[in-house]
Amino acid sequence: MKAVGCVAVVVVVAVAAFFGITAFVITQGEDQSALTERVELTVIDPRDVGTGSDSGYRFDYAYEVAGQWYGAERFVNERNWSPGQPITGCVDPDDPRDHVVTVRNDPCGEETIVAGSIKQASPREAP
């Protein structure tokens, strides 16, 4: 009976460790230190979405680097941003499609600028 209890404890610890490591890896994201150039994002058509603690805004956005416009889509929780407030991003000057959105003017060029991973924008027309 003691052996069954020990096995159960080992299984619980292993499962907890797996989920803890997975959560850590997901929240850490990729090295963002190549994203050194700050850009101002042009927010296009912000839409209210969600309810309660999941409410916020989904919008398209665009930014310009070296005469080329890029764009993507984003969701931002209403506690962090609302329409009319400025919003910026950090981009990789060598590949401006790679970027992160910063709603708090986080410093660019850091290993972790924002939680999560680097986003890919697509070339687009100027808004």
Side-chain angles (χ1 to χ4, degrees):
M1 199 51 128
K2 284 185 179 181
V4 171
C6 288
V7 169
V9 168
V10 168
V11 168
V12 168
V13 169
V15 168
F18 171 77
F19 284 113
I21 290 169
T22 301
F24 176 78
V25 169
I26 289 171
T27 60
Q28 293 306 302
E30 304 160 302
D31 180 1
Q32 300 172 357
S33 60
L35 308 177
T36 58
E37 187 174 331
R38 178 170 303 286
V39 293
E40 184 175 331
L41 304 182
T42 300
V43 175
I44 304 163
D45 190 29
R47 304 166 300 281
D48 285 321
V49 294
T51 58
S53 63
D54 292 331
S55 63
Y57 301 93
R58 181 164 299 284
F59 53 86
D60 294 329
Y61 60 90
Y63 60 91
E64 182 184 16
V65 176
Q68 172 64 56
W69 282 89
Y70 300 90
E73 183 182 67
R74 174 77 183 193
F75 170 81
V76 176
N77 189 289
E78 69 181 357
R79 291 181 300 233
N80 297 324
W81 181 83
S82 61
Q85 293 180 313
I87 191 165
T88 61
C90 296
V91 301
D92 181 345
D94 295 328
D95 187 358
R97 294 172 302 162
D98 290 345
H99 70 287
V100 294
V101 175
T102 64
V103 295
R104 295 180 310 272
N105 277 339
D106 299 300
C108 296
E110 302 290 322
E111 184 174 347
T112 302
I113 300 167
V114 297
S117 60
I118 297 170
K119 306 295 182 213
Q120 278 276 309
S122 300
R124 61 161 291 151
E125 296 293 319

